[in-house]
Amino acid sequence: MQDNQLSAYVAFMQLAILTIGVVTVILKMGKRDAMIDRSMDELLVLKDITKDLVKTDIEQGKSIITMYGELKELRHRIEVLEKQML
């Protein structure tokens, strides 16, 4: 009878340890998934920031090109005025 109780106790302990192991694995997977989700959200934010920075850089480049064209036109007009004054 004691052998039967000992076998039942050992089986119960094995079941408890197996259950703890499975729960631990599930919890670790959940934490890993949460970290992946958080990382994905951060990457999306960084992607949006990068997109805005590139857009701003392009707009500034266009602005510089436009200003350069306007300055070139003004320079031409000044040269024309100087020639007329001579």
Side-chain angles (χ1 to χ4, degrees):
M1 182 149 160
Q2 282 188 344
D3 287 338
N4 196 14
Q5 286 179 345
L6 183 61
S7 295
Y9 178 74
V10 169
F12 175 75
M13 291 304 288
Q14 287 176 338
L15 178 63
I17 291 171
L18 181 64
T19 303
I20 290 170
V22 169
V23 168
T24 302
V25 168
I26 290 172
L27 288 175
K28 287 200 181 261
M29 286 176 54
K31 287 180 182 178
R32 188 195 68 178
D33 289 344
M35 287 175 56
I36 290 172
D37 289 342
R38 188 172 52 242
S39 295
M40 290 296 293
D41 291 341
E42 290 172 356
L43 285 174
L44 290 174
V45 170
L46 285 173
K47 180 182 173 186
D48 290 340
I49 290 170
T50 304
K51 190 185 302 182
D52 290 342
L53 286 172
V54 169
K55 183 179 174 183
T56 302
D57 190 41
I58 290 172
E59 287 174 357
Q60 284 181 349
K62 286 180 182 177
S63 177
I64 290 170
I65 292 170
T66 303
M67 277 194 325
Y68 181 72
E70 290 172 356
L71 288 173
K72 197 172 180 181
E73 182 183 332
L74 287 171
R75 181 176 171 190
H76 176 69
R77 289 170 58 190
I78 291 171
E79 288 174 355
V80 169
L81 283 173
E82 286 176 347
K83 285 182 184 179
Q84 288 177 356
M85 292 176 72
L86 291 174

